[in-house]
Amino acid sequence: MKGVRKNVSESIESLKALARELRKDILKMTTEAGSGHPSSSMSAVEVVTALYFGGFLKFDGKNPKAADRDRFILSKGHAAPVLYAALAHKGVFPHEELMTLRKFGSRLEGHPNMLRLAGIEASTGSLGQGLSVGVGYALAARLAKNGSHTYVMTGDGELGQGQIWEAAASAGKYQLDNLTCIVDRNGYQQTGSALDVLNMDPIDGKFAAFGWATQVINGNDLEEVIDALKRAKATKGRPTCIVSLTKKGFGMLKLLSKLKDENFHGKPMPAKHLEEALAEVEAGLG
Amino acid sequence: MAGASSSVKSSRPLGKATRDAFGRALEALGESYGKLVVVDADVGNSTRTEWFGLKYPDRFFNVGIAESNQVGVAAGLAAAGHTALVSSFAAFIVCNAYDQLRMSVAYPRLNVKVVGSHAGISIGEDGASQMGIEDVSLACSLPGFVVMVPADETSAKAATAAMLAHEGPVYLRVGRPDVPKIYDADAPFTIGKANKLADGKDVTIVANGLMVAPALEAAEALASQGISARVLDMHTVKPIDRDALAAAAKDTGAIVVAEEHLAHGGLGSVVAMNVAEIHPVPIRYVNLHDSFGESGSPEALIEAYGLTAAKVAEAAKAVVAAKKS
């Protein structure tokens, strides 16, 4: 099967190459689907690549229901393509199935549906709910004493949901050091700049106030992401929030600039621009 | 007033509140259900989950006054293999956390048990903000949910056991005041199967929860006036017992539905939808109309809002007359 990877540390260069593959998958599948959120998916690629292929997530694509596995919850469910691309490369399903995204009968629905596809740890798409589910997983792992770690990725616009802060407070109360929340701070939400729509800064300060360890990193820099995940894993006695500063549509920023659409929210790359987008991703300049 | 108790007036002997029976059953079942966990929103001493919590502190999590997170945390625990129970006032657990019930529980069909206590106007003095009067309608609108409204302590205990034995999401409605005893300890209780408490040929009274006792009283009163009434305890609203409804419609030709819930979307709506399809007959309703409750003693409110045996009997006479006309 094409592209099946072992869950072991690989060299940075091969991880970067894989990140480029995920970006190309995201672009191709959303253009084929004719809808979706490629730019929201592309900002998160380095974090997802590091988690699944950098030796962090204890997750076997051939045994995706193992009881003691680590969990990754994509709370920003509209970025489903990045999750599907990672699961395909983990061998959960055939790579060519990515092209069924959003089609009737496909396991790859517009937003993740855990009933349809193993490897999806929470059905998401109504924003704000994934971190609470992550707290539940982390509590269950503590009861089971199985060492499972749960990673949750939220968006930055998603932080407007009050439930996020209910969950943050409860994770602080239970000192869940087996829980890591990564905020994909790509700076944009549906109608514009996240800071303009509803300013939730300082994000790290808010999580810190609820008893979390916090880090602020360049989330499109794989080395920084890997270092941050190592620190999160080593942190004891409290959960970690990684504020991952990213660019929406990272990998095709030149094209988005040319198209005068830095946000590029909730739409696929038109077929006429796809080759240019893929070439820019392959060049790997950001 | 978490620990305070009140009661509903009836000619029948009083039993415990359904919340109390639920709480004791949960505590007892904690032993055989080793994977049972409870997530509380700081009302465990009102909903009675605290009795489980005191016995199994490592399986009890109080996440504070935050029902949305409460439900989400339970979803995560359930997805990891636990039977996860959440409980708060019906008004709060269903209305506040509705999208979480929809998205994090119903959509992935997780094994989460939702118990709404302090349902209906019979909580009394605390008033409208605390009274869940739309919870059954909302719970029925969650695909895949089982929805139960037990009438007394025996059936609340049995419903709790049935809820835990069922694989999948369940909503169980329980009440605050002590309520009349309906059942002997060994009475049958099966999800989706109505209990026929009295038989009759002129009219069927379909009731649940607090309204089962007045329905039985009404049937006795009607008998003395020459009207023979069947009484069904429809403790499961979803899935509804269509066979019992079909038999009621065909055998008696008239139906009264009695419930402590808004007219819109409750037992009355479900009965009407099914009877209209199976075997249309005249139906009358004893329930709450399009308004909120208010403060007052349970007894005063029950009288003022017409949830009485007299109103059930009146409706029965009206529907029998409609059948003949």
Side-chain angles (χ1 to χ4, degrees):
Chain A
M1 190 175 299
K2 185 186 162 196
V4 176
R5 310 271 163 167
K6 286 177 295 186
N7 187 11
V8 294
S9 258
E10 300 190 20
S11 76
I12 289 291
E13 286 313 312
S14 69
L15 283 177
K16 285 181 178 170
L18 183 56
R20 289 194 291 275
E21 291 305 311
L22 295 189
R23 286 201 160 86
K24 288 190 274 187
D25 287 338
I26 290 164
L27 281 166
K28 288 181 202 165
M29 74 174 105
T30 48
T31 295
E32 167 69 19
S35 64
H37 300 75
S39 67
S40 310
S41 304
M42 288 168 78
S43 60
V45 164
E46 277 70 23
V47 169
V48 169
T49 301
L51 278 172
Y52 279 91
F53 306 98
F56 289 100
L57 201 72
K58 185 174 59 186
F59 175 80
D60 177 358
K62 292 300 173 200
N63 186 17
K65 293 284 189 188
D68 64 344
R69 70 191 184 276
D70 290 344
R71 266 88 171 179
F72 173 67
I73 294 173
L74 185 65
S75 191
K76 48 174 281 186
H78 54 288
V82 69
L83 175 58
Y84 297 150
L87 293 177
H89 284 270
K90 289 299 281 189
V92 175
F93 58 85
H95 187 264
E96 54 269 25
E97 198 173 329
L98 289 174
M99 291 304 137
T100 68
L101 175 73
R102 289 176 165 254
K103 290 180 180 164
F104 180 71
S106 172
R107 297 186 285 179
L108 314 186
E109 296 209 55
H111 293 76
N113 177 351
M114 67 189 289
L115 281 185
R116 279 266 172 107
L117 184 62
I120 294 175
E121 307 290 10
S123 295
T124 55
S126 180
L127 293 172
Q129 301 197 21
L131 190 55
S132 296
V133 178
V135 170
Y137 275 131
L139 288 171
R142 179 176 285 181
L143 285 173
K145 300 186 178 68
N146 62 10
S148 166
H149 196 106
T150 297
Y151 298 88
V152 179
M153 174 179 276
T154 73
D156 48 357
E158 184 177 5
L159 301 182
Q161 293 280 6
Q163 187 186 351
I164 291 283
W165 306 106
E166 296 179 7
S170 64
K173 169 179 176 174
Y174 290 106
Q175 305 177 330
L176 296 175
D177 53 16
N178 59 350
L179 178 69
T180 300
C181 178
I182 301 126
V183 178
D184 185 32
R185 204 234 195 295
N186 64 27
Y188 281 101
Q189 55 196 94
Q190 182 153 330
T191 66
S193 151
L195 285 177
D196 289 344
V197 174
L198 185 67
N199 187 345
M200 297 303 289
D201 278 356
I203 297 169
D204 57 332
K206 286 186 174 66
F207 276 93
F210 287 117
W212 292 55
T214 60
Q215 306 178 42
V216 181
I217 62 160
N218 176 355
N220 290 133
D221 181 315
L222 252 176
E223 285 96 331
E224 279 201 35
V225 170
I226 287 168
D227 288 346
L229 291 172
K230 279 182 189 161
R231 285 193 295 270
K233 185 88 184 160
T235 298
K236 297 296 166 206
R238 55 191 173 149
T240 291
C241 173
I242 299 171
V243 180
S244 176
L245 305 176
T246 60
K247 298 275 192 196
K248 202 161 170 177
F250 189 81
M252 56 172 183
L253 298 179
K254 242 169 61 183
L255 177 57
L256 295 189
S257 171
K258 193 170 112 183
L259 296 171
K260 297 187 171 42
D261 190 351
E262 285 189 348
N263 188 353
F264 203 74
H265 183 87
K267 54 189 169 187
M269 187 54 68
K272 64 181 174 183
H273 297 304
L274 182 61
E275 284 311 314
E276 190 179 350
L278 294 172
E280 190 180 337
V281 166
E282 187 54 39
L285 300 175
Chain B
M1 48 190 299
S5 64
S6 61
S7 62
V8 171
K9 199 173 74 172
S10 170
S11 59
R12 308 177 74 83
L14 266 186
K16 285 189 289 194
T18 49
R19 63 169 168 157
D20 292 337
F22 150 71
R24 286 299 171 213
L26 187 71
E27 179 192 23
L29 289 162
E31 191 170 341
S32 48
Y33 285 86
K35 298 285 273 182
L36 175 61
V37 292
V38 172
V39 187
D40 178 31
D42 204 38
V43 284
N45 52 349
S46 291
T47 65
R48 308 310 196 200
T49 58
E50 74 165 352
W51 297 333
F52 175 94
L54 289 168
K55 198 162 170 189
Y56 305 102
D58 56 328
R59 290 191 271 148
F60 184 85
F61 305 99
N62 182 353
V63 298
I65 308 165
E67 292 82 9
S68 301
N69 185 50
Q70 176 193 22
V71 170
V73 170
L77 283 156
H82 288 279
T83 301
L85 186 142
V86 289
S87 183
S88 182
F89 286 28
F92 308 145
I93 192 74
V94 179
C95 300
N96 189 311
Y98 196 70
D99 189 30
Q100 288 71 29
L101 292 172
R102 167 185 174 268
M103 189 68 207
S104 289
V105 176
Y107 182 43
R109 287 205 292 269
L110 290 171
N111 200 22
V112 174
K113 314 304 180 188
V114 182
V115 181
S117 74
H118 293 63
I121 61 170
S122 59
I123 69 164
E125 291 80 358
D126 277 345
S129 66
Q130 320 293 298
M131 294 170 173
I133 56 174
E134 60 288 272
D135 54 317
V136 171
S137 170
L138 291 168
C140 284
S141 297
L142 295 166
F145 258 71
V146 166
V147 179
M148 292 191 283
V149 185
D152 75 345
E153 63 174 80
T154 302
S155 56
K157 180 182 174 187
T160 303
M163 169 175 74
L164 295 185
H166 176 81
E167 182 71 26
V170 175
Y171 177 67
L172 174 67
R173 180 194 226 212
V174 293
R176 177 173 177 272
D178 293 340
V179 287
K181 286 185 183 176
I182 308 291
Y183 292 102
D184 297 331
D186 57 351
F189 187 99
T190 306
I191 289 176
K193 187 159 174 32
N195 288 334
K196 192 191 290 186
L197 301 180
D199 207 356
K201 58 180 175 41
D202 299 324
V203 61
T204 300
I205 304 168
V206 181
N208 65 16
L210 191 82
M211 293 308 292
V212 173
L216 287 168
E217 276 185 51
E220 286 166 23
L222 289 163
S224 67
Q225 296 165 52
I227 296 174
S228 156
R230 178 179 299 183
V231 177
L232 295 180
D233 174 5
M234 196 64 78
H235 52 72
T236 308
V237 183
K238 186 181 160 191
I240 196 82
D241 187 344
R242 280 168 64 91
D243 293 342
L245 290 179
K250 287 170 187 164
D251 298 348
T252 69
I255 291 173
V256 172
V257 187
E259 62 179 324
E260 187 191 15
H261 189 276
L262 286 180
H264 187 88
L267 179 64
S269 296
V270 177
V271 169
M273 183 169 72
N274 283 279
V275 169
E277 183 181 50
I278 303 167
H279 187 86
V281 297
I283 306 180
R284 295 293 182 270
Y285 307 93
V286 177
N287 53 27
L288 301 170
H289 302 149
D290 193 27
S291 75
F292 287 96
E294 62 193 289
S295 288
S297 70
E299 206 170 285
L301 290 170
I302 285 166
E303 189 66 35
Y305 286 79
L307 301 182
T308 61
K311 290 289 183 187
V312 174
E314 201 176 287
K317 281 184 263 184
V319 80
V320 167
K323 175 171 71 166
K324 286 172 183 161
S325 66

